[in-house]
Amino acid sequence: MLQFLVGFTLGNVVGMYLAQNYEVPNVAKKIEQFKRDVEAKKKPKE
């Protein structure tokens, strides 16, 4: 249990540091953009 808490806390601290000091991409937006691109390629072009 202690090992989990230490790992979880360390992960959060490192994640907050990276998000504040580096340009971290928004994964949700990238996934939505990818879905739109796939849908655009599926539709038959008339």
Side-chain angles (χ1 to χ4, degrees):
M1 181 71 177
L2 181 62
Q3 184 179 5
F4 169 76
L5 288 175
V6 170
F8 182 76
T9 304
L10 184 62
N12 279 331
V13 170
V14 170
M16 287 186 286
Y17 174 80
L18 291 175
Q20 289 177 1
N21 294 306
Y22 296 97
E23 189 173 334
V24 180
N26 188 338
V27 177
K29 285 185 182 178
K30 294 286 184 187
I31 291 172
E32 286 301 318
Q33 183 180 14
F34 178 74
K35 286 180 182 177
R36 282 194 304 265
D37 291 343
V38 169
E39 287 297 319
K41 290 182 190 272
K42 279 186 181 179
K43 294 179 183 174
K45 297 190 173 150
E46 297 178 306

